[in-house]
């Protein structure tokens, strides 16, 4: 089981590293183009923004899995283990509801770009809308269309060619990341229920770093 978890971790960490690497390479190339050749990569800024959005949204769910989000556990440290576990379950239940609302909103926003019906219902989905205005023809501003995605023209754009990248592609991260976020909160709730942990935030890296800095200052003194 540990090997399986490590393999999944490697996939997620590799994807995050690729996103950071692409952002760095594209930004560096654009700087060289501007100052070295007095030119400009027109689509560089927009693509970097999309990559950063993917990085943040995917990283949010990964941080839940690694218990790396910032949190305040002063009250949890003052109560009994049983009480802390109950408080942890209440916290994760609130997070599950919130992430479910985010998932609904993310899907509804993305669906029209994919020529799919958004869900009905204001807060919780009660079905799918019968009538909706497709926005599958919407394109990004600068990033050009790439060849291997041309199949989308027949799938969702009724055979019309895309000049720029359709918005359905970069915005796909919205429902995907919110699905992963909800999945990670479900994993966290199971960990609390089984007694493996009593809180969502189990990382104290900030406290450790502060103690390390204090120790270094004490050595210099």
């Amino acid at each position: 089981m540990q090997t399986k978890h490590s393999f999944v971790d490697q996939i997620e960490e590799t994807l995050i590293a690729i996103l950071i690497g692409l952002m760095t390479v594209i930004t560096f190339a654009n700087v060289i183009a501007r100052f070295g050749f007095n030119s400009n990569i027109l689509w560089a800024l927009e693509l970097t923004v999309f990559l950063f959005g993917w990085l943040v949204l995917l990283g949010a769910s990964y941080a839940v899995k690694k218990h790396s989000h910032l949190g305040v556990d002063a009250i949890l440290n003052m109560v009994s283990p049983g009480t802390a576990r109950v408080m942890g379950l209440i916290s994760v239940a609130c997070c599950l509801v919130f992430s479910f609302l985010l998932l609904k909103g993310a899907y509804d926003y993305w669906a029209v770009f994919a020529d799919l019906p958004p869900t009905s219902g204001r807060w919780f989905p009660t079905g799918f809308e019968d009538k909706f205005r497709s926005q599958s023809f919407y394109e990004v501003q600068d990033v050009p269309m790439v060849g291997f995605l041309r199949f989308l023209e027949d799938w969702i754009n009724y055979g019309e060619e895309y000049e720029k990248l359709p918005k359905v592609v970069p915005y796909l991260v919205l429902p995907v990341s919110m699905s992963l976020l909800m999945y990670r909160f479900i994993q966290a709730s199971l960990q609390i229920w089984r007694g493996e942990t009593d809180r969502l935030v189990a990382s104290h890296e900030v406290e450790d770093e502060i103690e390390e800095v204090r120790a270094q200052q004490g050595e210099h003194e």
Side-chain angles (χ1 to χ4, degrees):
M1 184 64 67
Q2 184 66 31
T3 303
K4 180 180 178 181
H5 288 322
S6 299
F7 178 72
V8 174
D9 289 349
Q10 289 176 3
I11 294 178
E12 293 175 330
E13 291 167 1
T14 300
L15 179 58
I16 291 173
I18 290 174
L19 291 172
I20 296 175
L22 286 174
M23 290 171 58
T24 303
V25 170
I26 293 172
T27 302
F28 179 75
N30 200 29
V31 171
I32 295 299
R34 285 184 177 182
F35 294 96
F37 301 94
N38 195 26
S39 182
N40 180 40
I41 303 177
L42 181 62
W43 45 264
L45 177 59
E46 186 179 39
L47 182 56
T48 302
V49 171
F50 286 143
L51 291 174
F52 183 73
W54 277 67
L55 177 66
V56 171
L57 292 172
L58 294 176
S61 61
Y62 182 71
V64 172
K65 179 181 179 180
K66 291 298 184 179
H67 303 280
S68 298
H69 282 290
L70 295 178
V72 179
D73 57 2
I75 297 179
L76 288 176
N77 294 331
M78 296 171 57
V79 299
S80 64
T83 303
R85 182 184 176 189
V86 172
M87 294 176 66
L89 289 173
I90 294 174
S91 298
V92 77
C94 293
C95 291
L96 280 170
V97 173
F98 182 66
S99 60
F100 181 78
L101 294 175
L102 288 176
L103 175 57
K104 181 191 184 310
Y107 171 80
D108 290 345
Y109 185 81
W110 171 80
V112 291
F113 295 113
D115 197 32
L116 295 173
T119 61
S120 56
R122 182 173 183 179
W123 296 100
F124 296 94
T126 57
F128 292 95
E129 296 286 354
D130 295 328
K131 297 180 180 179
F132 67 98
R133 181 175 180 270
S134 175
Q135 299 179 13
S136 59
F137 58 91
Y138 277 32
E139 301 173 337
V140 301
Q141 185 173 351
D142 297 319
V143 181
M145 181 61 172
V146 290
F148 71 91
L149 292 176
R150 289 290 178 187
F151 68 90
L152 293 175
E153 296 169 347
D154 293 325
W155 278 22
I156 64 175
N157 205 35
Y158 305 96
E160 294 290 332
E161 291 187 359
Y162 287 114
E163 181 181 354
K164 305 294 184 181
L165 190 70
K167 287 188 175 182
V168 65
V169 176
Y171 291 175
L172 176 62
V173 71
L174 294 173
V176 170
S177 62
M178 293 304 104
S179 298
L180 285 174
L181 185 64
M182 188 172 180
Y183 174 66
R184 296 308 184 196
F185 280 130
I186 292 174
Q187 285 185 320
S189 65
L190 293 176
Q191 291 176 352
I192 297 175
W193 181 262
R194 292 194 295 256
E196 298 174 4
T197 182
D198 60 358
R199 65 199 68 193
L200 282 174
V201 179
S203 175
H204 298 277
E205 294 180 0
V206 176
E207 297 177 3
D208 295 340
E209 291 177 0
I210 292 176
E211 292 298 329
E212 183 178 351
V213 170
R214 288 177 179 173
Q216 293 176 353
Q217 290 178 345
E219 293 176 358
H220 292 307
E221 292 177 358

